Amino acid sequence: MTKTGRVTFFSTSILEDIEARNTATAAVLDLAGGQLAFSVPVQEFVFKRTLMQEHFNENYMESNKYPKATFSGHFIGLDVAALNDPGTHSVKVEGDLTIHGVTHHLTVPATLELKNNQLAAFALFSVAPADYNIEIPLLVRENIAKIVSIRVGLTCDPVGGAAAPVTRSTSPN
Amino acid sequence: MKSPRHAVPFLFSLLVALLAFAPAAQAQDDLLGQLEKATADPGKREVVTATFKGTHIINSQSVETPGKGTMAFLIQHRFGTLNSGAYNFFGLDQAVLRLSFEYGLTSRLTAGVGRSSQEKTFDGFLKYRAIRQTTGARAVPVSVTLFASSAITTLKFNTPSERNMSSRMTYAYQALIARKFSPELSVQLMPTMIHRNFVATPSEQNDVYALGGALRQKITKRTVLTADYYYLLPGNTADNFRNALGLGVDIETGGHVFQLHVTNSLGMTEKFFVPETTGKFFDGDLYFGFTVARNFTIKPQI
């Protein structure tokens, strides 16, 4: 698991590119059970512009009401044994993404790589703010993309117990 | 949500699904629940943000600062009084302006400079967010921002023929104490001290003390009602000066905040509106004014 997972999102439009980074994402990947879960503290997103960050929290995400975005789901096509081979391994992740209090079921491609007893996970996918009841005022509608790209990058340390049996598959004993 | 037991009647599984869904802590999934438990930090404090929309409320400065690396350019404008008659187009013929820049040196410390057309005054100020309101463990109930400014008038005086530098200076000190009671309501208190190196009449004192109060109430997601008021402690200024009162509306358009207001004060810095407000608010000595702030990102946060 990790508590310092990195989630970034990009919105590219004719007028403006918007990027925000979050490095306080918590995630658990349970390889044996094929499950995974994420919790993203919305207020921890950092924008280039301080005013954007304020608008994002205050108006769009209403982060005092919905402090966390979460994902909970499972892997498809995960071959735990093959993870020991060097290189990246493609998997699919299916589950429920909750943003702004709205939940959608989605399937996204991801890659996993086992390196130095750490599990690196990476995913790139898109969401539409409109699907999550995120209302964008008319005046800035041209500045914010209809589809926002989300990139997730995690470097997970093994934990003892059932939550992440990464140790079992890699440790020499 | 998938039920592992297919034998369970549909309605029952639906009920279970709804029940499981309701409280977030109960988690849609065991793993997410575990994660929430593992990451729950009892000592975690959340800073309360956006107590006010802008760095100014109406006349007053708010506890807000532009944030690190952000330069705010403010245009503050006051027309003449509404009761000045049709000949003056109800005040619109007259205009008093203050232009200012505020730069966030850190997320807490801001330095600013401004120029008012009134008495050709330059002002410089520092604003420091000493305490921030937080929620969570050991919550801090209020935000406190300390404000200090000095102003110099560059007006050419006739009497006495020329005044020295020091007699042109005025200083203002404020503690801005604000609390965001709810996402809609924020209240600010402002103990204020103005020191004037030079006063016009013997009945006026060099030091003027006042207690200011301000509030903002959201009426829709992007419209806000604001008010601010300064109560002058008795005996420090001449009798013809009044307490400054302002009522306003903030309209947020996404990129900007437009602050529209009416106030009985023509001046837009502490040295003017605290000790030198002359308008009688309820007699219609109302100045219509606005503040527009445009933020420029000098040093991006990422």
Side-chain angles (χ1 to χ4, degrees), chain A residues 126-139:
Chain A
S126 302
V127 298
D131 289 347
Y132 294 90
N133 282 349
I134 297 166
E135 183 208 335
I136 291 159
L138 208 62
L139 262 162

Side-chain angles (χ1 to χ4, degrees), chain A residues 47-59, chain B residues 53-54 66-67 70 252 254-257 293-297 301:
Chain A
F47 288 68
K48 271 188 189 144
R49 296 172 186 271
T50 49
L51 196 63
M52 272 182 193
Q53 194 169 322
E54 193 177 305
H55 287 317
F56 173 79
N57 283 306
E58 172 106 347
N59 295 332
Chain B
K53 261 279 91 128
T70 301
E252 194 187 308
H256 300 74
V257 180
R294 176 80 185 132
N295 283 8
F296 299 95
T297 303
Q301 291 194 105

Side-chain angles (χ1 to χ4, degrees), chain B residues 42-45 132-141:
Chain B
K44 182 139 175 76
R45 304 159 85 188
R132 304 193 69 160
Q133 186 184 345
T134 58
T135 58
R138 290 171 290 118
V140 179

